[in-house]
Amino acid sequence: MAGEQQQPETELVLLDFWVSPFGQRCRIALAEKGLPYEYSEQDLLGAKSDLLLRSNPVHKKVPVLLHAGRPVCESLAILAYLDEAFPDAAGPALLPSAADPYARARARFWAAYSDRVYEAGTRLWKLKGGEARAKLQARAEIVEVLGNLDAELGEKEFFGGEVFGLVDVALVPFVPWLPSYERYGEFSVEETAPRLAAWARRCAERESVARSLHPPEKVDEFITLLKKVYGIE
Amino acid sequence: MASSENNAVPPAAAAQPLKLFGSWASSYTHRVQLALRLKGLEFEYAEEDLGSKSEELLRCNPVYKKVPVLVHAGRALPESVVILQYLDDAWPETRPLLPADAFDRATARFWCHFADDKLGPAVGAVFASTGEGQEAAVRQVHENLALIEAELRDGAFKGRRFFGGDEVGLLDVVLGCGSYWLAVFEEVTGVRLVDADAFPLFHAWLRAFEALDEVRDTIPAVDRLLDYARGVRHMLLSAGAAAASAPAAADAPTAARRLTSPSTYDKMAGPAAGQGRPAGDLQ
């Protein structure tokens, strides 16, 4: 889908960074919706491009979705935007229909909650060797977060029920990061959240997910690189 | 399902009672109270003692154990911004909080997140610190306010009376219920946060917001807020002067969390503060 001919007035450009799970949320949603777009890799470890700085002056972060030149920032806002701006796109909407406001509220809640996997996981690998207590806290947090997500998923195929929906798209990009978190935090997703582990395997079979996510080894290499950059032992 | 046009919630469900669990000094609670009033929706209010939370609250919000929680038709909804959007969805015939246009909605959501992720914690940090740490926190607040001022002056909200346009919307409710702390903290700490000269449009918006009847009915009297803030400030500073004046502003919310009970901190700085969102370019 990336690189297909687009009409200027509907042109979609995604400013992104290859390993960004937040960017991957958008890539997966765009693929699920069959929306053509231009992928624009941003050099985040070097100097940020003028386009990125102009498009997201507040945070200077990816992902940014440009639609006919207008920027939409923040991955979850982009997901909602894709549903709302392209109601005729392929596949079911990411959010449950307006006929079920409670289901929509639940989806928004858990999609936002999924960010905590990344927050807690990042604390795990950012901690220096001597910070044992902080590490235990971060480990306890990620275990709790994964447990809550496991409970919310329950026996459903996806968080969206039969639909691969908002929460699924929001959470799945963190899956390749989990093996690294497991190692740094000394816990097991299979033990902590077995239904979530099975869900992750199911999601990996979807084309949009398989094409958008990188293998855990690549993610782990990136974490190692970042640790060097931040000077963390 | 109902045969009426707006059948998002069948009339039976829409007519079912609303119960809000909240805390009188919580700006997050005020958001929901204000939204309900703006929409003309009746509700029962249950004040929670955050130092001793009720079984019912903990059952309704097992994940975060926080206020506000709105219970409607037997279902519990936590998280103020989620609740506000639910109100739009469930009562589409009432005045909408979110704009109709998809891009405008994305803009409103972006700035709501900014309010909770950046501005709120920065204001909390000012309150929880002294000395150099506080100076850094004040600079952070000013930077954040400058960004909002710029949007009012030249950007997405140019020429508007409120962020929602001629009438208040989601972002007004989110920013407004919380901005009253600015004046309170200024009074209690002696620090200048919202300079009318530096942020004329923000200042004007806040005055217009606070003049609305529904807002006056929702925001507690300033005397109560001042008393409350003085009490917390005293507790923060006397419990650990060293920690409270930590040089890095980022430490202040953590220090505040250590020094105060979780309940007090919840009221001040909200769910996102103190979690330390990882530095980095990914969001």
Side-chain angles (χ1 to χ4, degrees):
Chain A
M1 284 302 167
E4 265 190 40
Q5 268 283 316
Q6 300 186 68
Q7 303 291 359
E9 60 273 12
T10 58
E11 189 181 63
L12 287 169
V13 180
L14 182 68
L15 307 184
D16 202 347
F17 183 62
W18 67 277
V19 75
S20 164
F22 304 96
Q24 286 165 332
R25 287 172 167 176
C26 306
R27 286 175 242 168
I28 290 168
L30 286 158
E32 289 282 329
K33 289 177 177 294
L35 292 168
Y37 68 98
E38 179 196 329
Y39 178 90
S40 174
E41 177 74 8
Q42 299 298 301
D43 177 15
L44 295 184
L45 298 179
K48 290 176 183 177
S49 72
D50 282 343
L51 181 59
L52 176 61
L53 295 175
R54 268 201 324 272
S55 304
N56 190 356
V58 172
H59 300 298
K60 308 174 179 56
K61 290 183 177 182
V62 294
V64 179
L65 180 74
L66 295 162
H67 183 199
R70 294 204 297 180
V72 181
C73 303
E74 307 224 318
S75 57
L76 295 179
I78 292 170
L79 296 183
Y81 181 78
L82 289 174
D83 257 8
E84 291 168 6
F86 301 93
D88 300 325
L94 293 172
L95 266 163
S97 88
D100 196 345
Y102 180 66
R104 282 162 81 94
R106 261 181 107 140
R108 288 178 177 131
F109 177 88
W110 287 103
Y113 187 77
S114 71
D115 281 358
R116 297 192 51 173
V117 174
Y118 188 74
E119 287 163 21
T122 299
R123 272 202 291 285
L124 274 173
W125 64 256
K126 269 198 173 174
L127 289 167
K128 299 194 198 301
E131 293 174 277
R133 192 153 161 255
K135 195 155 186 168
L136 278 173
Q137 276 173 346
R139 180 194 183 280
E141 186 177 341
I142 198 170
V143 164
E144 185 190 331
V145 168
L146 292 171
N148 283 337
L149 287 164
D150 187 90
E152 171 59 17
L153 176 67
E155 307 308 319
K156 299 197 296 288
E157 186 184 0
F158 300 115
F159 286 90
E162 287 164 31
V163 172
F164 182 73
L166 184 77
V167 182
D168 303 278
V169 174
L171 182 59
V172 78
F174 302 130
V175 167
W177 297 71
L178 292 175
S180 300
Y181 297 159
E182 285 175 310
R183 205 175 74 247
Y184 284 106
E186 292 170 64
F187 67 95
S188 153
V189 176
E190 197 66 51
E191 277 169 28
T192 298
R195 291 173 291 194
L196 198 65
W199 163 88
R201 287 189 287 274
R202 279 197 296 282
C203 291
E205 290 166 15
R206 290 183 86 82
E207 195 180 337
S208 64
V209 174
R211 281 173 171 237
S212 304
L213 301 190
H214 294 285
E217 301 77 51
K218 281 278 175 207
V219 169
D220 200 60
E221 268 172 34
F222 180 74
I223 291 176
T224 305
L225 171 69
L226 279 187
K227 282 173 75 96
K228 284 202 185 91
V229 166
Y230 290 131
I232 302 163
E233 284 303 308
Chain B
M1 292 294 279
S3 57
S4 67
E5 235 180 283
N6 294 317
N7 65 348
V9 175
Q16 282 197 37
L18 285 162
K19 183 172 180 180
L20 175 65
F21 291 86
S23 172
W24 76 271
S26 157
S27 44
Y28 301 91
T29 299
H30 299 152
R31 290 173 180 180
V32 181
Q33 288 171 314
L34 177 58
L36 289 164
R37 290 195 173 101
L38 288 169
K39 287 176 174 288
L41 296 169
E42 305 257 321
F43 63 100
E44 182 196 338
Y45 178 73
E47 174 73 14
E48 277 287 323
D49 174 2
L50 298 186
S52 171
K53 292 173 183 176
S54 71
E55 280 300 315
E56 211 182 338
L57 175 67
L58 297 178
R59 257 201 328 272
C60 288
N61 191 1
V63 171
Y64 287 122
K65 307 176 177 52
K66 288 181 176 180
V67 295
V69 179
L70 184 71
V71 180
H72 175 230
R75 283 132 152 210
L77 295 133
E79 295 295 285
S80 59
V81 177
V82 170
I83 295 170
L84 265 38
Q85 294 181 87
Y86 175 80
L87 294 179
D88 263 10
D89 285 343
W91 285 272
E93 73 281 9
T94 59
R95 61 189 276 188
L97 295 172
L98 272 159
D101 175 72
F103 186 79
D104 292 341
R105 290 160 76 92
T107 303
R109 287 174 174 135
F110 174 89
W111 287 103
C112 282
H113 189 248
F114 179 84
D116 281 347
D117 198 47
K118 297 284 180 222
L119 181 60
V123 174
V126 169
F127 191 71
S129 56
T130 58
E132 271 179 38
Q134 191 181 56
E135 282 169 34
V138 171
R139 276 196 298 276
Q140 193 63 55
V141 172
H142 287 164
E143 272 173 35
N144 292 337
L145 288 176
L147 288 166
I148 297 174
E149 184 77 15
E151 288 300 315
L152 283 163
R153 190 179 55 239
D154 307 309
F157 311 115
K158 183 175 178 178
R160 296 190 190 186
R161 180 151 188 259
F162 297 109
F163 291 99
D166 293 329
E167 302 212 351
V168 295
L170 180 75
L171 183 54
D172 298 277
V173 174
V174 167
L175 265 176
C177 293
S179 289
Y180 50 77
W181 284 120
L182 291 166
V184 171
F185 290 178
E186 284 179 334
E187 177 76 29
V188 171
T189 64
V191 160
R192 204 89 189 91
L193 286 174
V194 187
D195 192 320
D197 293 326
F199 311 109
L201 295 169
F202 183 87
H203 197 258
W205 161 78
L206 189 53
R207 294 288 92 81
F209 175 81
E210 288 172 348
L212 295 169
D213 287 335
E214 293 93 343
V215 174
R216 286 149 74 104
D217 286 343
T218 301
I219 310 303
V222 73
D223 293 342
R224 284 186 80 196
L225 294 175
L226 279 168
D227 275 345
Y228 173 75
R230 283 189 185 110
V232 177
R233 174 89 172 151
H234 176 77
M235 186 172 34
L236 284 173
L237 297 188
S238 63
S245 63
D251 287 331
T254 315
R257 191 165 55 167
R258 278 203 299 274
L259 296 171
T260 63
S261 71
S263 59
T264 315
Y265 186 69
D266 282 355
K267 291 176 201 172
M268 303 298 270
Q275 277 185 8
R277 282 195 78 97
D281 305 304
L282 311 179
Q283 56 161 350

